[in-house]
Amino acid sequence: MWINLILRTVEQGLAFGLLAMGVYITFRILDFPDLTVEGSFPLGAAITARFIVMGTDPFLATLFAFAAGACAGIITGLINTKLKIAGLLAGILTMTSLYSINLRIMGRSNIPLLRQPTIINNIEGFIEGIGMNPDYVSLFGFIIIVFIIKILLDYFLYTEMGMSLRATGNNPIMIESLGVNTDVYKIMGLALANGLVALSGSLVAQYQGFTDVGMGIGMIVIGLASVIIGEVVIRSSKIPLATLGVIVGAIIYRLAIALALQMGFAPTDLKIVTAVLVILSLGAPTLRKFMIQDEFADRLMERGSSDAEN
């Protein structure tokens, strides 16, 4: 029972790892508070479900989901850079608009995919064909998908365009003085991030067998929690380790949620569980500092006592 639970939870964590990578791009690389995530996640799921139901190849439907998410990011970027609307408000406006758009795309609030061909089914069929244990087929499939995308993202962030993107978030004034158009790179970063988020929504919808218009609620918190937990677990500024960290963070987050449910927490309690996880992750360095200071003080007191006795 526990092994099966852990396997299913790790699979979910890998799917949400793409969401975490998207949030990492906006939150850490661009330093942009992007709430478009809560609209682009269900957008990817809605696009995928609609095309699959229409008979489109699931791989092609998944690519359409990525493209749709990228378009959502471009809209947020244009609102911010061209209309000079604050990034937080630009994301909220796009997110709000996407709720109605997602309903239009789906035609109703929920689309089941249980009897439809999905990318998960195709990967499972291929892996089973080479004789792998059926219990690990989905897990292995998600590992392949997520780590191929991770490697491509790592490579891109070390290219000239990727370095300019990183510089745009780190020091926009300096990069502008070198003749780089920061607005273009900000829009590109938001497009890439929301494309990954929509791709995550597409995979989650195909994995769980349905798409719901409300499945994006709280996704920004899940993404931030994954990024922060990953940074605590893997403390490195190197891009390959940082992106690995957010994937690990997403898996740890899903394991923590599964553990909370097993301990008797109601599904309605998961929001406060998430908040506590984020607080503990953010406060870990401070708590560690206090623990070190207290330990140092105790040692000084013990040494003082021993000196007094002598």
Side-chain angles (χ1 to χ4, degrees):
M1 174 184 174
W2 279 101
I3 294 177
N4 187 59
L5 175 64
I6 291 172
L7 283 175
R8 301 288 85 80
T9 304
V10 172
E11 289 167 4
Q12 294 175 23
L14 287 167
F16 281 103
L18 297 178
L19 164 72
M21 281 193 279
V23 173
Y24 171 76
I25 292 172
T26 54
F27 183 62
R28 285 303 187 209
I29 293 180
L30 282 179
D31 193 22
F32 189 96
D34 184 27
L35 291 182
T36 314
V37 168
E38 300 213 356
S40 56
F41 185 87
L43 174 64
I47 289 286
T48 300
R50 185 66 175 175
F51 274 103
I52 287 177
V53 168
M54 291 169 58
T56 306
D57 181 83
F59 286 95
L60 191 58
T62 304
L63 288 177
F64 287 155
F66 176 84
C71 289
I74 290 172
I75 292 171
T76 299
L78 290 173
I79 293 173
N80 173 245
T81 58
K82 303 307 178 185
L83 300 181
K84 304 303 179 184
I85 295 175
L88 184 62
L89 181 55
I92 291 173
L93 291 171
T94 307
M95 173 192 71
T96 305
S97 303
L98 284 174
Y99 184 84
S100 298
I101 292 172
N102 291 338
L103 275 175
R104 282 283 186 178
I105 292 171
M106 295 170 63
R108 54 187 187 274
S109 61
N110 186 289
I111 297 180
L113 295 172
L114 291 176
R115 296 184 180 180
Q116 300 291 337
T118 65
I119 191 173
I120 309 298
N121 300 143
N122 290 343
I123 292 174
E124 288 178 352
F126 170 75
I127 296 177
E128 284 180 353
I130 61 176
M132 178 171 283
N133 188 329
D135 294 336
Y136 302 100
V137 166
S138 296
L139 176 62
F140 190 69
F142 274 120
I143 289 174
I144 292 174
I145 295 172
V146 172
F147 277 89
I148 286 176
I149 294 171
K150 176 206 177 310
I151 291 168
L152 292 174
L153 178 61
D154 293 344
Y155 174 78
F156 169 75
L157 291 175
Y158 277 109
T159 62
E160 184 177 347
M161 291 181 65
M163 296 289 283
S164 298
L165 177 65
R166 292 159 61 186
T168 298
N170 186 48
N171 195 336
I173 297 175
M174 182 273 291
I175 198 69
E176 280 181 353
S177 68
L178 298 176
V180 176
N181 189 335
T182 55
D183 286 353
V184 171
Y185 281 96
K186 185 179 291 186
I187 293 170
M188 182 180 67
L190 289 168
L192 177 59
N194 283 282
L196 290 174
V197 171
L199 187 59
S200 175
S202 173
L203 291 180
V204 169
Q206 294 177 74
Y207 177 75
Q208 64 187 12
F210 69 91
T211 295
D212 188 89
V213 72
M215 65 190 295
I217 298 174
M219 285 301 117
I220 185 64
V221 178
I222 293 174
L224 287 173
S226 301
V227 170
I228 293 165
I229 292 170
E231 290 176 343
V232 172
V233 175
I234 301 179
R235 305 178 65 86
S236 176
S237 59
K238 295 181 179 180
I239 293 297
L241 291 177
T243 53
L244 177 63
V246 299
I247 296 171
V248 172
I251 294 172
I252 292 175
Y253 172 79
R254 298 308 305 179
L255 288 172
I257 293 299
L259 180 61
L261 291 173
Q262 290 297 312
M263 291 172 61
F265 284 90
T268 52
D269 298 329
L270 296 183
K271 297 296 183 184
I272 193 169
V273 172
T274 300
V276 171
L277 282 173
V278 174
I279 291 170
L280 290 176
S281 300
L282 286 172
T286 304
L287 293 173
R288 189 182 298 114
K289 185 189 297 183
F290 282 139
M291 291 174 64
I292 292 172
Q293 289 176 349
D294 291 343
E295 184 179 352
F296 183 69
D298 291 340
R299 288 181 180 179
L300 285 178
M301 291 179 64
E302 290 176 1
R303 183 176 298 177
S305 299
S306 61
D307 290 343
E309 292 175 358
N310 294 332

